[in-house]
Amino acid sequence: NVHSHGAGILLRGGLSQDRSLYDWMLNVLYPGMQTYTIDDFKIGMHLFADEAIRSGITTIVDNEDGTEENLRIMLDVLKKSGMRTIYGRMFNDLPPPSSLADYYKILEAKSPKVNHVEDYFIEDTQVVLSSIENLIKEYNSEDSLVQVWPSPHGPAWCSKEGLTGSLEIAQRYDTRLTIHLAETSVEFRPFGVSTTEYLDSIKFLNPRLLAAHCVWVNDRDIRLLKQNDVKVAHQPTSNMYLASGIAPIPKILAQGITVGLGSDDGNCNDSVNILNEIRAASLIHKANMTDASCVTAEQATEMATIEGAKALGMEKSIGSLEIGKKADIIILDLNAPHLRPMHHLPSILAYQAIGTDVEIVIVNGKILMENHKLTWMSEDDESKLLEQAQTSSAAIIDRADLELPDRYLIGD
């Protein structure tokens, strides 16, 4: 799962549905997250890790911003879970572009009772770069399952100094870095050129970069991504959920650009399930291009395995079952009606399998789930976690005055 955000998972279940990206960000995500307590972060990350492992995710890129205390709480949970984790230390060091100010006001007016945020958690450039550097020094040992990368949010919310400073840190400590790029049409030309062209002009596009979304990229942008060997994180379900558009993945693949799959936020997808993403990536482009073979089941499955590993620069150690690689393995229970008959493995994974078919998950040779039971969390603790998640979410809704639909609510 090469692009996700875990902590916001407590904001799903009927809060985010039927909203576009900025409507969701301004009226659900930001207001909700600003009211999180320390316990909420801990509960949310436990729930996120629980679901991720149960659906067969062995390696994850989780992008989070926040206070130092909250970040360390989330890092500790991911470390405890045993997943191979890349923790993208995300940040904004600029306020929203002035060109979006009126648009933001229009969207916030749709939900006037919500306690909207005012500062969008803008961080000082040098302070946040120093924080990233310190986290890398602390966590990025060769044998650690948790690695930290710089994760500037996006070109419209980060200064040139923040972007180039992130790249310099990645180069100095031999890490990679990740960013949100061209997710919606709204941010397509805030610089007079495309965001991709802007990043190329400041020498930010490079082989270390993992660019998430890339929905609104044109042929020139794709050429620039190829020339600079940028890797792409494709989030088909989230892009559909938020009506952001359909990334031109067939064109991107045709250029030989590496593409991995991600689930994005747990509350703008409402699922942390990579098998769902394989299916979505296999289907959405067929319909969009009216070409049944433009993205095959095999290509989509490889995006979640060896191509995903390449997107992270880890293909020499994970992503396929080979002698000498790390023992990152999932085993599915194939004894189910929806899995018969079966003949071609990628087709089975793309069109028949579901997350609950995953029976065993092994990371680095350590069993994280066996016979559908987690080894790093007891059944009693997991049952308690589900209750806590429901209680915490309800409290967040009250504190932030978040909106729920008028009909069909649980308990009505």
Side-chain angles (χ1 to χ4, degrees), residues 13 21 34 86 93 123 135 180 200 210 212 263 274 284 328:
L21 175 68
Q34 76 170 344
I86 292 165
D93 66 342
E123 300 187 72
L135 288 171
H180 296 73
D200 183 59
L210 175 63
S263 63
I274 207 66
I284 186 174
D328 287 13

Side-chain angles (χ1 to χ4, degrees), residues 312-323:
L312 307 181
M314 302 175 75
E315 70 274 16
K316 292 182 179 179
S317 58
I318 62 172
S320 58
L321 298 178
E322 298 182 56
I323 293 171

Side-chain angles (χ1 to χ4, degrees), residues 354-366:
I354 55 178
T356 52
D357 293 329
V358 178
E359 185 177 28
I360 297 173
V361 176
I362 302 169
V363 175
N364 210 39
K366 182 180 179 181

Side-chain angles (χ1 to χ4, degrees), residues 13-73:
L15 291 164
S16 302
Q17 80 294 336
D18 308 326
R19 295 178 184 269
S20 62
L21 175 68
Y22 288 98
D23 184 359
W24 162 75
M25 286 174 60
L26 296 169
N27 292 319
V28 180
L29 182 67
Y30 290 166
M33 293 292 290
Q34 76 170 344
T35 72
Y36 266 46
T37 66
I38 290 174
D39 283 342
D40 293 331
F41 280 106
K42 190 177 297 185
I43 291 165
M45 291 307 290
H46 272 95
L47 183 66
F48 172 73
D50 185 347
E51 182 180 356
I53 289 169
R54 285 194 170 280
S55 68
I57 293 170
T58 58
T59 300
I60 200 152
V61 179
D62 183 47
N63 300 274
E64 306 287 351
D65 56 13
T67 66
E68 197 79 11
E69 183 179 20
N70 292 337
L71 290 169
R72 290 185 183 279
I73 286 170

Side-chain angles (χ1 to χ4, degrees), residues 71-90:
L71 290 169
R72 290 185 183 279
I73 286 170
M74 292 184 278
L75 271 164
D76 287 346
V77 173
L78 290 169
K79 189 174 182 179
K80 171 189 170 184
S81 77
M83 269 191 299
R84 194 177 299 280
T85 298
I86 292 165
Y87 196 79
R89 171 47 167 108
M90 195 170 71

Side-chain angles (χ1 to χ4, degrees), residues 10-299:
L10 295 179
L11 300 173
R12 69 179 175 183
L15 291 164
S16 302
Q17 80 294 336
D18 308 326
R19 295 178 184 269
S20 62
L21 175 68
Y22 288 98
D23 184 359
W24 162 75
M25 286 174 60
L26 296 169
N27 292 319
V28 180
L29 182 67
Y30 290 166
M33 293 292 290
Q34 76 170 344
T35 72
Y36 266 46
T37 66
I38 290 174
D39 283 342
D40 293 331
F41 280 106
K42 190 177 297 185
I43 291 165
M45 291 307 290
H46 272 95
L47 183 66
F48 172 73
D50 185 347
E51 182 180 356
I53 289 169
R54 285 194 170 280
S55 68
I57 293 170
T58 58
T59 300
I60 200 152
V61 179
D62 183 47
N63 300 274
E64 306 287 351
D65 56 13
T67 66
E68 197 79 11
E69 183 179 20
N70 292 337
L71 290 169
R72 290 185 183 279
I73 286 170
M74 292 184 278
L75 271 164
D76 287 346
V77 173
L78 290 169
K79 189 174 182 179
K80 171 189 170 184
S81 77
M83 269 191 299
R84 194 177 299 280
T85 298
I86 292 165
Y87 196 79
R89 171 47 167 108
M90 195 170 71
F91 69 91
N92 303 331
D93 66 342
L94 287 180
S98 57
S99 60
L100 292 179
D102 290 341
Y103 180 54
Y104 277 23
K105 290 178 182 177
I106 291 168
L107 292 176
E108 288 182 340
K110 293 176 63 175
S111 300
K113 295 181 180 179
V114 169
N115 293 329
H116 296 108
V117 303
E118 295 182 1
D119 61 5
Y120 304 102
F121 200 64
I122 311 302
E123 300 187 72
D124 178 81
T125 306
Q126 293 308 315
V127 170
V128 73
L129 292 177
S130 177
S131 171
I132 293 169
E133 193 167 0
N134 290 336
L135 288 171
I136 288 173
K137 289 177 182 177
E138 181 175 345
Y139 284 92
N140 288 31
S141 62
E142 187 174 340
D143 59 348
S144 175
L145 286 177
V146 177
Q147 303 285 318
V148 176
W149 288 4
S151 178
H153 185 175
W157 298 272
C158 292
S159 66
K160 178 182 176 182
E161 293 72 24
L163 293 167
T164 57
S166 294
L167 177 56
E168 288 168 5
I169 288 173
Q171 291 169 330
R172 189 181 319 135
Y173 292 97
D174 195 21
T175 74
R176 302 215 166 190
L177 72 167
T178 186
I179 195 170
H180 296 73
L181 180 61
E183 186 172 357
T184 71
S185 59
V186 173
E187 63 205 66
F188 186 49
R189 293 187 181 275
F191 304 98
V193 297
S194 74
T195 47
T196 307
E197 285 186 78
Y198 166 69
L199 292 181
D200 183 59
S201 75
I202 63 171
K203 311 300 181 186
F204 186 78
L205 298 183
N206 70 93
R208 295 180 184 271
L209 182 62
L210 175 63
H213 299 291
C214 297
V215 176
W216 291 87
V217 289
N218 57 31
D219 289 349
R220 183 189 298 110
D221 296 332
I222 293 172
R223 175 171 52 80
L224 292 172
L225 295 176
K226 171 63 176 177
Q227 286 176 353
N228 291 281
D229 194 18
V230 175
K231 284 68 175 179
V232 171
H234 180 35
Q235 293 73 243
T237 301
S238 173
N239 295 154
M240 287 189 283
Y241 189 111
L242 297 171
S244 297
I246 300 174
I249 295 301
K251 282 187 174 183
I252 290 171
L253 289 174
Q255 289 297 315
I257 295 170
T258 299
V259 179
L261 283 180
S263 63
D264 209 8
D265 284 74
N267 72 315
C268 67
N269 177 329
D270 291 4
S271 171
V272 190
N273 186 327
I274 207 66
L275 288 174
N276 283 358
E277 303 307 323
I278 296 174
R279 181 177 177 84
S282 298
L283 294 176
I284 186 174
H285 304 291
K286 300 180 193 304
N288 187 47
M289 303 292 291
T290 60
D291 179 353
S293 61
C294 65
V295 174
T296 67
E298 186 172 334
Q299 285 175 306

Side-chain angles (χ1 to χ4, degrees), residues 46 49-50 53 77 80-82 367-369 374-378:
H46 272 95
D50 185 347
I53 289 169
V77 173
K80 171 189 170 184
S81 77
I367 297 173
L368 306 187
M369 184 172 76
L374 300 176
T375 61
W376 57 280
M377 186 190 305
S378 71

